[in-house]
Amino acid sequence: MAAQCVTKVELTVSCSSLLDRDVGSKSDPLCVLLQHTSGHQWYEVDRTERIKNCLDPKFAKRFLIDYYFELVQKLKFGVFDIDNTTVELSDDDFLGEFECTLGQIVSSKTLTRPLVMKNGKPAGKGKITITAEEVKDNRVVIFEVEARKLDNKDFFGKSDPYLEFHKQTSEGNWLMVHRTEVIKNNLNPVWRPFKISLNSLCYGDMDKTIKVECYDYDSDGSHDLIGTFQTTMSKLKEASRHSPVEFDCINEKKRQKKKSYKNSGIVSFKHCEVSIFKYSVLI
C-alpha cells in the first residue's frame, strides 16, 4: 500500500468581539480543536492556552496537524469561557464554534468566519480567524532570556513583565508566534527557557525580521507596553552565556516625549540554540 501524501500544517487562531459571559470582568477564552473521525465522532486534537479578561484573544499556542491531501478532514473550533480549573469543558460557558475542512483553511491561508452557537444562531458579533502554514522546517530554537532595569508600570508594586515574539507575514502584518510566562513583581526578570519552532518564528529564514515586545501584565487585560525591539535569528544565534546578545527596549511614545530618554530597559539573550525537532509521523 502506497504511503498517503501528507504534510505538517500549523494553525494559528485568534478571535474578535467574543460574547462576554463574566459579571464584573471579561470572558477568559480558550479555543479547542476537534477533528471528525470516520465513525462520525468528534475527538479533541488540542487546545490553546486560556487568556484572562479578553474578548479579542490572540492565542500563542498553535495547533500542529497532519494534512492529508486526498482526504476531507472536518475540523471544529470551539471557544469557551474558562472560569474553573477542571479539564472538562461541559461546565464552562460556550462562546461559539466554527466548522470547516482543513483543506478550506489551507487553500485560503487565512480564514475569518463568524462564530455560531449550538443552535446555529450567531454568537453575537464573535468571529474567528485561522491562519495555516505548512511546516517545511523541523528545527526549533531554545532560548534563555532575561531583562534588567525595566520601566515600572505599576503604582503598587513592580511591573509583571512578559515577552511576545512576532514575525512579519508576506502581506506585511505582524503575527504573534510566542508569548512567554509572566514574571510577577520584577523589573529584572529571568524567564524559564522556552522553545519556538523556526518555522513559526521566521519561516526558517535566519535574516527575516523578528519583533519582540515587552509588556507589563495586568489582570484586567489592559496590558501596558514597556518597550519593543527588532532583530533576526542571525543576530540572536550569536548569543552565549559568556557573551549575551542585548537589546534596548524602546517605548516610542516615551522617546518622543523625553529628550534624555535612553531606553525602557535591556533585554538580554543568554542562550540561543537551534536543534532538530522530530515529529511523530502518523500515516
Side-chain angles (χ1 to χ4, degrees), residues 12 35 70 73 91 138 160-162 227 237:
T12 305
Q35 186 163 358
E70 296 166 8
Q73 293 168 266
D91 56 358
N138 66 341
D160 307 316
Y162 68 91
K237 64 187 181 69

Side-chain angles (χ1 to χ4, degrees), residues 92-120:
D92 297 300
D93 288 323
F94 180 63
L95 301 179
E97 66 184 16
F98 168 63
E99 283 187 38
C100 64
T101 66
L102 182 54
Q104 284 175 297
I105 305 171
V106 170
S107 61
S108 300
K109 291 189 177 176
T110 297
L111 197 62
T112 300
R113 291 290 186 272
L115 290 166
V116 297
M117 302 304 286
K118 296 290 186 186
N119 60 9

Side-chain angles (χ1 to χ4, degrees), residues 50-85:
R50 165 192 179 223
I51 298 183
K52 290 188 70 177
N53 289 314
C54 186
L55 302 182
D56 304 289
K58 295 178 180 178
F59 298 106
K61 170 76 180 287
R62 274 108 181 286
F63 297 126
L64 189 65
I65 191 167
D66 288 322
Y67 174 43
Y68 294 92
F69 295 91
E70 296 166 8
L71 294 181
V72 176
Q73 293 168 266
K74 291 182 182 177
L75 303 180
K76 183 190 292 185
F77 297 83
V79 184
F80 294 83
D81 174 22
I82 308 297
D83 287 319
N84 54 48
T85 56

